[in-house]
Amino acid sequence: MLLQEESHFGEISPMSVSRPRFLVLLFAIAALLSASAPAQTAAVGTALEAVTGSHPLPNGIDLQAGSATLRITALRDDIVRVRISPNGTLPEDASWAVLPEPRNKSVDVRPIEDSASVGFRTASLDVRVERNPLRLVIRDLAGNIISADAIGRPVNFQLGGFTVFKQMPSGEHYFGLGDKAGSFDRRQQAYTLWNTDVGPQESVDPLYKSIPFFLGISGARTYGIFLDNTWRTWFDFGKQARDAISFGSEGGPLDYYFLYGPTPKQVVESYAYLTGTPPLPPLWSLGFQQSRYSYTPESQVREIANRLRTDKIPSDVLYLDIDYQFKNRPFTVDPKTFPNFPALVSDLHKQHLHLVTITDLHIAHAPNQGYAPYDTGEAGNHFVKNPDGSQFVGVVWPGPAVFPDFTRAQTRDWWGGLYRQFVGDGVAGFWNDMNEPSVFSGPGMTMPLNNVHRIEEPGFATRTATHAEIHNIMGLENARATYEGLLKLRPDERPFVLTRATYAGGQRYGFTWTGDNSATWNHLRLATQMVLNLGVSGISMVGADVGGFGSSPAPDLLTRWVELAAFSPLCRDHAAKGTLPHEVWAHGPQHEAIRRRYIETRYRLLPYIYSLADEASRTGLPIMRPVFLEFPEVFAPSSGNFDHLDTEFLLGPSLLIAPPPFAETMDDYAVSFPQGPWYDFWTGLKMPAPPRVPSIAELASGAAYPEIPQIHPPLDTMPVYVRGGSILPLQPLIQNTDEIPNGPLELHVYPGPQCSGSLYLDDGHTFRYQHGEYLRQTFTCQPDANSVRVTFSARQGTYVPWWKSVEVVIYDWPSARAEVKLSTSASPLKTSYDAKKHSLHVTLPDVPGEAEISIGGR
């Protein structure tokens, strides 16, 4: 959270300056300090002009370009690593982001050499370096260029950093870099990656996270580039030079990975192969979460909990922001405002509410005051140093504070142990905030770049590093320390960790959110773009603060935001101090009823959402997906315009959410449907096929633009559609994830091509699923003109489900007439018909093994 005008410095005197003046002052100080920071030493003005030597390797090639060294290797047939040094020695081969196993993988390649180029081939790629001028060109095996260095713009090393230039084809689109603001497609934009505590989001860059990975999509081919460099980096997609992409860093190694699809899904999965997949989260973390800065005192927390239960708003999580702490000191509880903290946690648990508490990255500088986190940290030498070896002290919420040196394995172990008392009290999860790191008194709202960290980490050479190198991974390693510490304290419970700042690979340690947004319609639109770009950047478990953190939402805005967030991975309502209440019941019973209905829908969909979380944990595919991830053909030259790519999205492969692009206006709008068929989720009715939009070439040839049907949904309706060919698992309504659903499992079948669905289930909170205690089952359907057959595969795993029966709902069924047979039983099955939704309901006993239902007679 940004510094508020109202002071929360504990023992520090309230500030009399306004936020804008204060920030101007801070940035002025930052400029002065940055100007005096020592320059990084490296080659100056080295450009890679021509190949002067080469040597084939079993998995790639080594090259020389004057004094520079290049090594290009194949980790897999579709993943190529490029390392370049301006001198003869490649830097240390270590990474905070890329996992050791894939980094050390390789495949044999076939060398290629002729008078013009040298390189190699894999089973998927042709990788060549043109000799003079030196230029890396990567093609598919049909000879199509996928990525190439820009002509006339060689890789350049200068002032301790470097810049790489790539060709930018006219029809190529770019996504990724995490939750950057601005346009959804990164083309014609430029970005800086430097974790920063700043807002409002739509008008600033950089933001809280640094994920130096992007996808390039051109026609039927998609690739990704991941620059594994923790320093301040930048990416330019044609803003400076209209025909070139460029990326670079102010220091550190030039080490990047090229990942080939050809589909976007394959690239995202390959990135997850390199940097890891998210852990399977506890089921309760996918429920509705209520937060505020701050619920205090204890009585207010109980009041919020009671209201959630009294109003029957399904919910699983309550948060405590910094005001529950003593003098804002992390790992403390204020005994005056929370005199019965363990009892509070216990009572919330009895109400089936999980408590999540904030623990900011900093530790109060409080020597000789009985503050154990400082005393034990100081004794263990766990804090970041000034260049002279003294402890660095900066001002944050508790006033003077010190900062753990998370690049030390023993420091992370110490930090994890600080959660022991909270874990013993039953606190369910933890929220790591302010971990850019944010330092109110520091240059640029962080610590000086010449501060000293100590790298004492398996897989790395033991050495010191400046904050300029370590800054962007502080949030990553903070979340890692929390996650690994909780694993030690509760070995059979899945940790819940929520972090604001992170780096590539941060998905390995749980959830994140988009930071301090505002209660505006533009921030509602921006939330979708940010979550989608985080998803294709490897971060699956993510959301935006519902209603906007930094101000008070209008009633309609909050209602629309709840509707939208019901279909996002993290659904958390959060607000800043000084804003009006915006809990679900705010603004009266009519708004509450609408918001409750969407939260109820989320809980009905939990079998589907949890199955998506399982898929994400295995493949890295995001839960909330841009349309192009499932339908890359929207970028094909032959396709018509796909409007609203930045506002429409998919929940998994099957649900299309199509919010009003500008809901604050009175305008009608047209839903953009990918290739169908599609069904209305609310009515169950099959949508009429939309008129085909001619391609640009067809329009240029005189084709007429068709009349596109438009809609204007009322406030209580968020347009949601189901992809034809989907089988969605749903459950009866529950009030929390501890509650056992009462009734049958529902399988909603929407006939269409390649009709299928899947279901995953386990106990929702332990690691027993890793030992076979899970349930995984797939379903298919085969529709024809007169019948539908639904096939159940045999289940995997030993977990026993809660349901005793299954209700199969077949949509687009014309009448109550049906002949139903179950392959494993001769007994008749109960059926009913919903004429309004054109749906046939078939109830049958639980089906653990292979079976088929045939439904005929329509």
Side-chain angles (χ1 to χ4, degrees), residues 73-328:
T73 54
L75 278 65
R76 294 191 328 200
D77 292 323
D78 55 352
I79 300 178
V80 172
R81 184 181 183 188
V82 180
R83 302 175 69 202
I84 307 176
S85 171
N87 52 53
T89 304
L90 291 172
E92 177 188 8
D93 188 2
S95 176
W96 299 100
V98 180
L99 298 169
E101 183 177 357
R103 201 172 73 250
N104 293 316
K105 288 282 188 182
S106 67
V107 294
D108 290 339
V109 302
R110 181 163 63 88
I112 299 172
E113 184 172 4
D114 56 35
S115 60
S117 64
V118 63
F120 59 85
R121 273 197 170 198
T122 74
S124 302
L125 298 171
D126 182 290
V127 180
R128 299 185 188 224
V129 178
E130 297 175 356
R131 295 180 184 274
N132 194 2
L134 188 153
R135 180 170 171 258
L136 173 62
V137 181
I138 300 178
R139 297 176 174 87
D140 64 20
L141 297 186
N144 301 299
I145 293 178
I146 307 166
S147 174
D149 289 350
I151 297 174
R153 296 186 180 96
V155 174
N156 184 39
F157 289 87
Q158 191 170 22
L159 300 176
F162 59 83
T163 306
V164 178
F165 300 91
K166 299 287 184 182
Q167 283 185 181
M168 191 178 79
S170 60
E172 198 157 88
H173 304 267
Y174 304 100
F175 302 92
L177 300 186
D179 52 350
K180 292 294 188 181
S183 62
F184 181 48
D185 188 340
R186 307 308 192 194
R187 190 179 178 93
Q188 297 181 342
Q189 304 297 315
Y191 304 90
T192 300
L193 275 63
W194 182 253
N195 293 358
T196 305
D197 178 5
V198 68
Q201 293 168 345
E202 73 248 40
S203 58
V204 295
D205 183 75
L207 289 173
Y208 307 98
K209 302 170 187 67
S210 296
I211 306 178
F213 167 73
F214 71 88
L215 285 79
I217 305 176
S218 180
R221 289 183 294 277
T222 301
Y223 69 89
I225 288 179
F226 169 49
L227 174 62
D228 192 7
N229 181 293
T230 65
W231 295 63
R232 185 186 185 99
T233 58
W234 61 84
F235 289 77
D236 185 315
F237 300 95
K239 189 167 186 177
Q240 181 176 0
R242 67 182 63 193
D243 60 347
I245 306 165
S246 62
F247 56 88
S249 176
E250 66 180 13
L254 203 178
D255 184 356
Y256 72 90
Y257 295 80
F258 174 87
L259 300 79
Y260 181 53
T263 69
K265 268 189 176 180
Q266 288 171 305
V267 174
V268 171
E269 289 182 288
S270 293
Y271 176 71
Y273 166 78
L274 289 178
T275 63
T277 58
L280 183 63
L283 177 61
W284 57 262
S285 66
L286 300 174
F288 177 68
Q289 306 188 9
Q290 184 63 59
S291 181
R292 184 172 179 83
Y293 171 39
S294 286
Y295 289 133
T296 186
E298 179 181 312
S299 59
Q300 189 182 29
V301 181
R302 295 181 182 276
E303 177 186 331
I304 296 295
N306 291 338
R307 184 70 184 267
L308 287 168
R309 292 296 175 239
T310 299
D311 285 16
K312 293 192 178 300
I313 298 166
S315 48
D316 272 88
V317 184
L318 273 177
Y319 281 75
L320 293 182
D321 210 319
I322 61 173
D323 288 328
Y324 82 95
Q325 301 169 142
F326 176 68
K327 296 183 178 180
N328 291 333

Side-chain angles (χ1 to χ4, degrees), residues 671-687:
V671 175
S672 289
F673 287 103
Q675 186 174 356
W678 292 89
Y679 295 78
D680 188 304
F681 176 74
W682 306 111
T683 68
L685 300 181
K686 191 174 183 179
M687 300 297 295

